[in-house]
């Protein structure tokens, strides 16, 4: 059953702690993306990766870090430097062959206490 | 920013009616896509229209694109309660990175 998964679905964090959000895909897609969504807002791009071992900053990368050691995995770390981390985080992937359609995971809702 | 903006921000209609949502963007594009998001879930791709196309259909969906006005519309015909969701347009620039720029969304409520 192909798809893109994110875990956990809900995550609570104390201020000052780093936390890592998981994103895994078995679609054999080359590109992967992390977006942040705030209530009633659109998606803003945090980081993206077009290929393994390479990634680029998006529009709001400050306070976040990523790695792309495997094609299937693109974890996002929300660091203590992110001043307002409470949000809904969405991971997406895209095949290099498709005309840029992105496939999204179910999201992780992060709440900082 | 190349981000699009949807209009209206919220729309409430009766089941069976048609729903029209509009999207405006700022720079030239390669294509424009519409996505749907149920509350608290990920986005689902609905339809893509290329910059050289003016209209496209998929089931009950009809998308138009006017590149001279930098705008697009999404029409959902014969709406159903299950169409209740947020709808986002996303644009891809003409060259370079394959990133998408998402609009702010239209929240559609279909009343049974």
């Amino acid at each position: 059953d192909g798809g893109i998964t994110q875990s956990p679905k809900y995550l609570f964090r104390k201020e000052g702690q780093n936390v890592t959000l998981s994103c895994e895909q078995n679609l054999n897609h080359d590109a992967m993306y992390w977006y942040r969504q705030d209530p009633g807002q659109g998606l803003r791009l945090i980081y993206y990766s077009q290929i393994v071992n390479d990634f680029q900053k998006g529009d709001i990368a400050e306070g976040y870090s990523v790695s792309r050691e495997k094609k299937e995995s693109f974890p996002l770390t929300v660091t203590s430097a992110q001043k307002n981390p409470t949000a809904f985080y969405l991971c997406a992937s895209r095949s290099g062959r498709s005309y840029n359609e992105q496939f999204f995971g179910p999201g992780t809702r992060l709440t900082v206490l | 920013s190349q981000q699009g903006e949807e209009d209206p921000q919220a729309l409430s209609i009766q089941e069976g009616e048609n729903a029209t949502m509009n999207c405006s963007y700022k720079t030239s594009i390669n294509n424009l896509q519409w996505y749907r998001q149920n509350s608290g879930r990920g986005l689902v791709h609905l339809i893509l229209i290329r910059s050289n196309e003016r209209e496209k259909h998929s089931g009950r969906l009809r998308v138009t694109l006017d590149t001279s006005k930098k705008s697009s519309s999404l029409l959902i015909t014969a709406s159903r309660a299950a169409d209740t969701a947020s709808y986002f347009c996303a644009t891809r620039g003409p060259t370079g990175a394959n990133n998408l720029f998402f609009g702010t969304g239209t929240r559609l409520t279909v009343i049974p």
Side-chain angles (χ1 to χ4, degrees):
Chain A
D1 192 23
I4 179 166
T5 59
Q6 293 183 240
S7 61
K9 187 172 177 64
Y10 298 97
L11 189 57
F12 297 88
R13 184 195 97 177
K14 292 182 180 179
E15 272 193 53
Q17 289 181 338
N18 291 358
V19 63
T20 298
L21 282 59
S22 168
C23 178
E24 303 278 333
Q25 54 98 1
N26 61 4
L27 301 168
N28 200 33
H29 285 175
D30 293 308
M32 296 187 75
Y33 306 81
W34 273 106
Y35 295 92
R36 170 183 172 136
Q37 186 178 33
D38 292 285
Q41 300 296 313
L43 279 65
R44 292 185 289 168
L45 182 64
I46 305 172
Y47 268 98
Y48 64 99
S49 169
Q50 304 274 42
I51 196 169
V52 175
N53 292 322
D54 185 58
F55 50 83
Q56 304 294 331
K57 292 181 179 180
D59 299 322
I60 56 165
E62 185 175 351
Y64 299 98
S65 66
V66 294
S67 63
R68 186 84 188 278
E69 296 175 2
K70 298 187 299 182
K71 188 175 186 178
E72 302 80 20
S73 178
F74 191 40
L76 173 74
T77 297
V78 184
T79 75
S80 56
Q82 170 50 234
K83 298 304 178 188
N84 185 21
T86 294
F88 189 52
Y89 291 87
L90 287 159
C91 180
S93 68
R94 178 183 61 80
S95 166
R97 294 189 183 90
S98 78
Y99 211 94
N100 219 42
E101 170 190 353
Q102 292 187 12
F103 293 80
F104 282 80
T108 292
R109 187 167 300 279
L110 172 65
T111 302
V112 174
L113 305 173
Chain B
S1 168
Q2 191 171 304
Q3 187 177 39
E5 290 191 5
E6 284 89 344
D7 171 60
Q9 288 188 333
L11 178 62
S12 184
I13 59 173
Q14 295 288 331
E15 201 165 31
E17 294 180 340
N18 295 343
T20 299
M21 289 159 268
N22 302 298
C23 169
S24 60
Y25 56 92
K26 297 179 181 177
T27 64
S28 60
I29 60 171
N30 177 287
N31 67 62
L32 185 144
Q33 303 176 34
W34 285 90
Y35 287 79
R36 167 196 168 121
Q37 182 182 34
N38 284 27
S39 182
R41 307 293 293 274
L43 277 70
V44 175
H45 181 264
L46 294 176
I47 195 167
L48 179 152
I49 186 165
R50 294 181 174 80
S51 58
N52 61 352
E53 297 176 313
R54 291 298 166 257
E55 187 170 314
K56 202 163 183 180
H57 296 254
S58 177
R60 293 185 296 112
L61 305 180
R62 172 179 168 250
V63 170
T64 62
L65 179 65
D66 186 336
T67 52
S68 66
K69 295 181 180 179
K70 292 186 171 57
S71 67
S72 172
S73 67
L74 171 68
L75 169 68
I76 304 175
T77 60
S79 63
R80 305 165 181 167
D83 294 328
T84 294
S86 291
Y87 293 82
F88 295 88
C89 67
T91 56
R92 179 195 170 201
T95 59
N98 291 313
N99 297 336
L100 293 177
F101 298 89
F102 284 84
T104 51
T106 291
R107 174 68 189 170
L108 173 67
T109 302
V110 181
I111 303 166

